[in-house]
Amino acid sequence: MRLGYRARFRPALPAADAMKGFFGKPRIGAFALPFLLAVAALMLGINEASYWGSREALVSLNAVVTSRQVVLRLLGVLVDAETGQRGYLLTGRATYLEPYRNALEAVKGLQDQLQALYRNEPGLRAELDKLRPLIEQRLSVMAETIMLEDTGQHEHALQLVLTDAGQAHMNGIRAIAETILNSEAGRDKQAYGSVLSTLQVARIGVAAMTLLSLLVVALYLRQALRAQAQQRSAKLAIEAERNSLEAEVLERTRQLTELARHLQTAREDERGRLSRELHDELGALLTAAKLDVARIRARVLSAAPDSADRLAHLSETLNSGIALKRRIIEDLRPSALSSLGLAAALETLLDDFRGRGGAQIRSSLETLSLSPAAELTVYRLVQESLTNIAKYAKARHVDVALRSAGDKVMVSVTDDGIGFDPQSTSSGAHGLLGMRYRVEGEGGSLILRSAPGQGTRVEAVLPLHAAAPA
């Protein structure tokens, strides 16, 4: 038996060991984790470099746009000032001087803003140094023409406007502004190229990381599928082993049930044989002894009248022996069971229990057709239950029932005694176990309900037409 179990457990071990491929040592080489960490660090570095490169390029583009706007604004302010000057000279209306005055206020701020934007650009700062005197000269000429107009020297003011000095100043201003704008266009192109390069690097990095992630996912899925296959294989092996063990347990249980039934049958056969021997041998001896006492009674009384009490005592002793013999025979093999039937035999058993005193018994017994073995099983069940009640239960009322339910026979013994915990070992545990084996041997089932202080109910269900054992 032990060898059989040990041999059956051996196939399950390799299946369990096979799962270590997934949960134990990884199948990927020892270089895989450092490689993945290095790639992750590289991608993080590329991402950070791309971010800072893009940020610097965007800052540069913002500076280019701001510088271009300031230069164009400066040119526009100068044009507005020139337009206001000429409108005033042509019409003499003071409203045309408003753009001129606004231009004078804005020019200085725009020049300071350009100086701040190009503080780190020596070449463009040199251009700004050239631009400032030209602007001052152009504003000085415009201021002079307005002063001449205000003093009534209109002709002189027009002649000053028609000279090439103002045009030369504006051409110089426009040339310097064009130089600055061209320089900003170069910076714009450079920053735009830097952004494109950064985006391209980031694109390549993201693509590489995506491919690497897909590769890692594919390897993980492959390993997971392999682990699942190993788990399924191990599960099937465990299920096969469990089924084998369950089948063996069922077979051992069946064999033990058959063995218990055989032992019970052998025990009952031995009881029957012993009861017959007691009935035949001991009964014959006691009967012969009683007849001998009856024969010698008249002679002894005539010869020794004082021996009458002794003969009476001897006769009573023989009668008590005969009664004891009958009671022992009934305990070993109830004769009423085979001659009067199960219900009558149970009534006789209950009457004997009532005669001993103690609990009150109520019975409800139907006359049923059962095989001899099943009848004996029911009888022994009730007998064992009454014995346990008399020894342990301390009950005041006992109910015994025998009835049919479809194709089943139900027998129950219920008491209102102290009860017990069926899960714990008790004095009547072996008797209850014997009851269970008896009932199961006849194809039935035994139900035991009890709790401390709540009494006990023993109930058995047997087939109504049980086949007699071979």
Side-chain angles (χ1 to χ4, degrees), residues 139-445:
L139 293 177
S140 176
V141 171
M142 286 191 287
E144 187 177 354
T145 58
I146 291 173
M147 184 191 66
L148 291 175
E149 180 68 22
D150 290 339
T151 57
Q153 303 179 35
H154 182 70
E155 295 296 332
H156 289 88
L158 290 177
Q159 289 178 1
L160 183 59
V161 171
L162 294 176
T163 61
D164 295 335
Q167 184 68 29
H169 294 157
M170 285 303 298
N171 289 337
I173 291 172
R174 290 190 179 92
I176 293 174
E178 187 69 23
T179 300
I180 293 174
L181 292 176
N182 289 336
S183 175
E184 293 297 339
R187 291 176 60 192
D188 187 2
K189 184 176 181 181
Q190 181 179 1
Y192 181 73
S194 176
V195 171
L196 289 180
S197 299
T198 302
L199 292 176
Q200 185 67 19
V201 172
R203 178 186 179 188
I204 294 174
V206 169
M209 195 63 185
T210 302
L211 292 176
L212 183 61
S213 300
L214 291 176
L215 178 60
V216 172
V217 169
L219 292 176
Y220 173 78
L221 290 177
R222 178 185 176 188
Q223 195 161 334
L225 291 175
R226 182 179 300 173
Q228 289 178 0
Q230 293 175 349
Q231 289 177 354
R232 285 194 296 270
S233 176
K235 184 177 179 180
L236 291 176
I238 292 173
E239 288 181 355
E241 179 65 22
R242 183 185 62 191
N243 294 336
S244 175
L245 291 177
E246 288 179 354
E248 184 161 353
V249 168
L250 291 176
E251 177 63 20
R252 293 292 184 269
T253 303
R254 185 189 63 80
Q255 293 176 0
L256 289 175
T257 302
E258 292 181 356
L259 177 59
R261 181 175 181 179
H262 172 72
L263 293 176
Q264 293 290 348
T265 302
R267 180 184 179 187
E268 293 297 335
D269 292 342
E270 183 64 21
R271 282 184 169 187
R273 185 188 64 80
L274 184 58
S275 67
R276 287 192 299 270
E277 290 184 359
L278 287 174
H279 180 272
D280 296 338
E281 302 295 335
L282 184 58
L285 292 175
L286 292 175
T287 302
K290 189 172 183 181
L291 291 174
D292 290 340
V293 170
R295 290 192 190 100
I296 66 173
R297 180 182 180 84
R299 297 177 183 178
V300 172
L301 289 176
S302 61
D306 58 341
S307 299
D309 293 337
R310 294 181 178 274
L311 287 174
H313 179 69
L314 178 59
S315 180
E316 290 177 1
T317 302
L318 290 174
N319 289 334
S320 299
I322 293 172
L324 178 60
K325 181 263 298 181
R326 289 176 181 174
R327 189 165 59 252
I328 292 174
I329 290 175
E330 288 298 321
D331 287 340
L332 291 174
R333 181 74 178 184
S335 59
L337 190 62
S338 57
S339 59
L340 301 178
L342 178 60
L346 290 177
E347 284 291 353
T348 303
L349 180 63
L350 297 178
D351 290 339
D352 182 65
F353 186 81
R354 292 189 187 97
R356 301 175 191 173
Q360 298 180 1
I361 296 182
R362 292 174 295 186
S363 61
S364 175
L365 306 175
E366 294 183 11
T367 302
L368 302 174
S369 176
L370 294 174
S371 67
E375 288 182 345
L376 184 59
T377 296
V378 173
Y379 183 88
R380 293 302 186 194
L381 174 67
V382 176
Q383 186 182 40
E384 182 69 25
S385 300
L386 294 177
T387 301
N388 289 337
I389 291 173
K391 289 182 178 179
Y392 313 112
K394 300 180 182 179
R396 291 179 298 173
H397 299 89
V398 178
D399 293 326
V400 179
L402 174 66
R403 61 186 177 87
S404 62
D407 60 345
K408 302 291 183 182
V409 173
M410 299 183 65
V411 57
S412 63
V413 180
T414 308
D415 68 76
D416 60 354
I418 61 175
F420 64 96
D421 183 6
Q423 303 299 326
S424 63
T425 303
S426 63
S427 301
H430 298 294
L432 294 173
L433 187 60
M435 289 185 198
R436 187 177 302 279
Y437 277 120
R438 275 182 177 273
V439 173
E440 291 178 354
E442 294 300 324
S445 60

